[in-house]
Amino acid sequence: MPGILPLDLLSDLVADARKAGAEAADAVLIDSASLSVGMRLGALERLERAESGDVGLRVLIGKHQAFVSSSDRSKAALGQLVERAVAMARSIPEDPYCGLAEPGELATSFPDLDVCDPHEPSAEQLIDMVRSAEDAARSVNGVTNSEGAEAGWGRSGVAIVASNGFSHAYSVTSSSLSVSVLAGTNAQGMERDYDYSSAVFLADLRAPEEIGHEAGRRAVHRLGARKVATKQVPVIFDPRVARGLVSSLAGAINGSGVARGTSFLKDKLGQAIFPRGIRIMDDPHRRRGLRSRPCDGEGIATQPRAIVEDGVLTTWLLDLRSARQLGMRSTGHASRGTSSPPSPSASNFYLEAGHITPSEMIHDISEGFYITDLSGQGVNGVTGDYSRGASGFWIKGGELAFAVNEVTVAGNLKEMFLNLTPANDLTLRHGIDSPTLRIDGLMVAGR
């Protein structure tokens, strides 16, 4: 339907749903475009551009709701969309917790978050970036092969209209650059490592040469890695793996899991789950933040929140449905696509920096493990049990002594959170972020 603006199209769709028998309805439109390139050993291996667009409609009849979506925006196709949605809503079981937001809950102002880069890069620009990154990585002494470099750009336009009066549209962009290389030879043993950068604005990415050099440096430093004997020691998590612990917290306080009783933190609201002084923020309003958003997927206003304050868990991450299940109010964390119901998700989520440097954090460790890479998905969200493959460096006498691989680090997140110490090196780069973290008393299983 060329010439029709997204909000107008969705307004007509919601109105048609009401006329067809829906008591309430909302509609979402997502238009996306992306460009990506991949290069290995100086040769271009991939150049792709993609565009997509989808419209999703939710209709409610009493406590019955149905979702349908379509990539066809013709008048006939949208008419069939309405018919299918209303027919489905009349035939599926009730959901006692479904429903749109009340008008008084809706966002009425929308902060300018600067989350859309007006510059769309050319394929040639991305090719130059990956070539520079891979060349820099391959120039590091000791690097012997490359797994390639990749760069990507994407833009998404999001529009939401609902019968409760909500109507808003916004656009977001993202850019990324990564490179992965190998060091060593088959005879001496080979090691792989990588580096990457992501940002809302292409200009905010780290320099390709810096990313490439860091990937090469990391790979070379891992040469000669070996196993260590199984023992319980202090463990240091490098920021790029420490953020995984913060992500595990975000998953454990997701309102959907809490309402189902499937989170290891389900009974910890208002209790200390970290040491005193620890603060963890969720900030949807950070300018140029990778997960910033002016409102949530149900039209609820977003706001920065201290999720953990002085070690105490202050809130869950809630959408309307999980909030109703728990007898609470939405925290503005609903996210959604075009073909499924909203669900809670974190925005820019990070553990605030501590007061000591990473060097000071390591200095008093006679023997310990500094983790730079983790593998496997050994995190049990129900019990908090944690067991993952790990590699990095063994600490002796307060210094990094030698590279370590093929070991497992294990513990339980409830105890790990309570014994966590942050360093002062927080950098907000990824949407979920953490400084270097120290956790004492973890089991490292090796030979």
Side-chain angles (χ1 to χ4, degrees):
M1 300 175 67
I4 297 182
L5 296 174
L7 290 177
D8 293 336
L9 184 150
L10 297 184
S11 295
D12 291 344
L13 190 61
V14 168
D16 289 345
R18 295 291 302 279
K19 292 175 185 175
E23 295 174 14
D26 63 4
V28 180
L29 181 148
I30 301 176
D31 280 330
S32 299
S34 63
L35 177 66
S36 61
V37 300
M39 178 175 288
R40 181 174 179 271
L41 299 175
L44 187 65
E45 288 193 329
R46 179 171 53 81
L47 172 58
E48 297 177 351
R49 179 177 177 84
E51 296 187 4
S52 63
D54 287 289
V55 177
L57 174 66
R58 169 169 60 163
V59 301
L60 297 103
I61 300 175
K63 288 297 181 179
H64 304 265
Q65 68 174 355
F67 299 84
V68 291
S69 63
S70 174
S71 57
D72 187 345
R73 301 181 191 179
S74 67
K75 188 174 181 61
L78 293 179
Q80 292 173 2
L81 197 74
V82 169
E83 291 176 7
R84 292 205 321 269
V86 172
M88 288 172 60
R90 286 176 172 150
S91 61
I92 62 176
E94 285 191 347
D95 178 351
Y97 304 109
C98 72
L100 305 185
E102 295 298 323
E105 298 178 290
L106 297 174
T108 56
S109 61
F110 306 94
D112 177 11
L113 303 175
D114 200 19
V115 289
C116 187
D117 185 353
H119 170 68
E120 179 177 340
S122 64
E124 291 73 21
Q125 186 175 1
L126 295 188
I127 291 170
D128 287 344
M129 289 167 57
V130 294
R131 178 178 289 112
S132 296
E134 191 186 40
D135 286 350
R138 295 173 66 196
S139 71
V140 175
N141 188 33
V143 170
T144 54
N145 208 337
S146 171
E147 291 189 336
E150 297 185 350
W153 166 90
R155 180 180 59 226
S156 294
V158 180
I160 307 173
V161 171
S163 58
N164 57 12
F166 184 78
S167 177
H168 187 63
Y170 62 97
S171 295
V172 297
T173 55
S174 63
S175 298
S176 63
L177 176 62
S178 65
V179 61
S180 175
V181 290
L182 298 163
T185 63
N186 288 330
Q188 69 178 134
M190 301 184 73
E191 293 291 340
R192 167 195 174 275
D193 217 314
Y194 65 95
D195 197 21
Y196 70 102
S197 179
S198 53
V200 170
F201 277 59
L202 189 77
D204 291 339
L205 291 175
R206 291 159 52 216
E209 296 78 9
E210 176 191 344
I211 296 169
H213 184 269
E214 181 65 9
R217 184 194 70 80
R218 285 178 175 267
V220 170
H221 280 195
R222 292 178 62 161
L223 288 173
R226 57 187 190 263
K227 286 186 179 181
V228 292
T230 297
K231 59 182 62 180
Q232 199 170 28
V233 294
V235 173
I236 306 294
F237 289 78
D238 183 85
R240 74 174 183 177
V241 291
R243 57 190 294 265
L245 296 174
V246 179
S247 180
S248 293
L249 171 67
I253 62 172
N254 184 293
S256 294
V258 174
R260 291 193 303 268
T262 57
S263 166
F264 67 91
L265 295 179
K266 62 184 179 182
D267 57 355
K268 296 296 185 180
L269 188 63
Q271 298 182 35
I273 61 170
F274 287 90
R276 290 180 63 92
I278 297 294
R279 193 170 194 242
I280 298 177
M281 291 294 300
D282 182 89
D283 184 4
H285 292 175
R286 188 162 72 83
R287 290 184 67 80
R288 298 197 181 189
L290 281 165
R291 296 188 173 200
S292 297
R293 49 198 182 201
C295 60
D296 82 348
E298 294 175 306
I300 306 293
T302 54
Q303 61 178 306
R305 294 175 183 268
I307 303 299
V308 172
E309 185 71 79
D310 199 23
V312 175
L313 179 62
T314 66
T315 184
W316 309 122
L317 305 182
L318 300 171
D319 63 353
L320 284 169
R321 188 179 190 280
S322 60
R324 290 172 183 138
Q325 284 180 279
L326 294 167
M328 304 174 76
R329 295 178 64 85
S330 170
T331 56
H333 282 96
S335 61
R336 67 188 302 178
T338 57
S339 57
S340 58
S343 60
S345 69
S347 64
N348 301 299
F349 199 80
Y350 59 92
L351 194 157
E352 288 192 348
H355 304 291
I356 61 173
T357 67
S359 296
E360 292 169 334
M361 179 177 282
I362 296 171
H363 183 71
D364 69 339
I365 298 176
S366 60
E367 196 168 28
F369 185 26
Y370 186 99
I371 299 177
T372 59
D373 202 15
L374 290 166
S375 60
Q377 302 296 322
V379 181
N380 188 317
V382 178
T383 65
D385 288 339
Y386 183 93
S387 178
R388 300 192 66 187
S391 57
F393 299 89
W394 200 248
I395 302 168
K396 271 187 172 293
E399 295 182 351
L400 302 185
F402 56 86
V404 172
N405 63 7
E406 297 183 6
V407 299
T408 299
V409 60
N412 184 279
L413 287 171
K414 286 182 281 190
E415 285 76 31
M416 290 167 68
F417 289 165
L418 284 169
N419 289 284
L420 174 153
T421 302
N424 66 352
D425 59 341
L426 174 68
T427 302
L428 299 177
R429 287 180 175 170
H430 303 295
I432 294 184
D433 292 285
S434 172
T436 299
L437 299 177
R438 172 174 170 169
I439 302 175
D440 289 352
L442 289 183
M443 183 61 68
V444 177
R447 63 175 190 270

